[in-house]
Amino acid sequence: MNNEAILREFLDYTQFVRGCRPKTADAYAIDMKVWQTFCRNDYPQMDNPSKAKMVVDYIRYLRVDRKNGSSAVQRKLATLSAFIDYLILMEIITPKQDERKKWPKLLDTPERLPVVLENKEIQQILTQPDTTTILGRRDRAILTLIYSVGLRVSEICSLQLRNVHWEEKRILIQGKGGRERYLLSPVINMDKTS
């Protein structure tokens, strides 16, 4: 089942048939290389990637040998599951061979809470730009947007003037994975000519 051709076809399928974005397809490729390495070393004759015993060993390999955290393990298992779906779709394995119901359930690990700045720290940051210059006013607007509506740096970088709707006081944001959303923003109260 380590057949390179099948893996390439699966990766093409994820991007060109399912319509996964290139970054998602790249993540699948990375995950499948990890899985391939595991199989090459521990299961060279493996013919069914859904075998529960193999998955238990794979999880141990991810956690112990690779020192992957819970979210990385979950993602790699999700990729493997998508690969199994593909193998069933292409009739390489049958639904009767699918052992995913026997896979161990991974416990959710509590996510680390983000560190929150105190109000005085935020104010210190917001007063840093020199608002007597155009770049300083831009920087102040960027910092205010990041703070007030929680934008990612990538969302700020992709922001275009045409995305700002001054009258409605809202901004069209291009989010992760190309998703769009509108946000109301206090920054729009600023003079748009400054």
Side-chain angles (χ1 to χ4, degrees):
M1 192 60 63
N2 293 354
N3 189 313
E4 293 282 337
I6 294 172
L7 286 173
R8 271 195 310 276
E9 289 166 10
F10 165 66
L11 295 172
D12 286 346
Y13 167 80
T14 61
Q15 191 168 359
F16 304 120
V17 177
R18 287 185 57 204
C20 290
R21 298 196 172 273
K23 285 185 178 180
T24 303
D26 290 346
Y28 275 25
I30 291 166
D31 291 346
M32 291 309 292
K33 281 182 183 173
V34 170
W35 180 76
Q36 250 186 321
T37 300
F38 163 75
C39 288
R40 198 175 297 120
N41 295 334
D42 296 356
Y43 285 86
Q45 302 303 318
M46 192 272 309
D47 61 347
N48 179 357
S50 76
K51 292 271 188 195
K53 181 190 179 325
M54 190 265 324
V55 171
V56 168
D57 291 341
Y58 183 49
I59 293 169
R60 185 179 300 115
Y61 166 76
L62 294 173
R63 289 188 189 270
V64 176
D65 296 355
R66 291 185 51 88
K67 299 190 181 353
N68 287 147
S70 293
S71 60
V73 172
Q74 290 281 15
R75 193 192 79 212
K76 285 174 177 56
L77 289 179
T79 299
L80 181 58
S81 186
F83 180 59
I84 293 163
D85 288 339
Y86 173 76
L87 295 175
I88 291 170
L89 177 72
M90 301 310 292
E91 299 178 352
I92 296 170
I93 65 172
T94 67
K96 285 185 177 181
Q97 292 175 286
D98 186 359
E99 291 188 18
R100 284 179 285 181
K101 287 184 179 175
K102 297 180 185 177
W103 285 12
K105 300 289 181 222
L106 300 182
L107 298 175
D108 289 333
T109 55
E111 291 186 30
R112 288 174 290 203
L113 294 175
V115 175
V116 179
L117 297 175
E118 293 188 19
N119 203 22
K120 69 179 184 178
E121 294 171 307
I122 297 293
Q123 293 311 313
Q124 285 177 330
I125 291 170
L126 292 176
T127 59
Q128 293 303 306
D130 179 2
T131 56
T132 63
T133 68
I134 193 151
L135 291 178
R137 289 191 296 273
R138 180 208 59 191
D139 292 348
R140 170 88 188 247
I142 289 171
L143 291 169
T144 304
L145 265 175
I146 289 171
Y147 167 66
S148 64
V149 293
L151 293 184
R152 294 180 177 91
V153 172
S154 62
E155 293 171 338
I156 288 284
C157 291
S158 67
L159 193 59
Q160 303 283 319
L161 190 57
R162 68 176 179 265
N163 299 115
V164 180
H165 300 274
W166 299 99
E167 294 75 30
E168 295 111 23
K169 296 183 179 176
R170 64 185 187 153
I171 303 171
L172 177 62
I173 302 299
Q174 298 280 336
K176 243 176 123 172
R179 294 182 194 91
E180 293 182 343
R181 69 185 188 280
Y182 278 101
L183 293 176
L184 297 176
S185 175
V187 176
I188 296 181
N189 290 331
M190 297 170 68
D191 179 8
K192 65 181 173 183
T193 61
S194 55

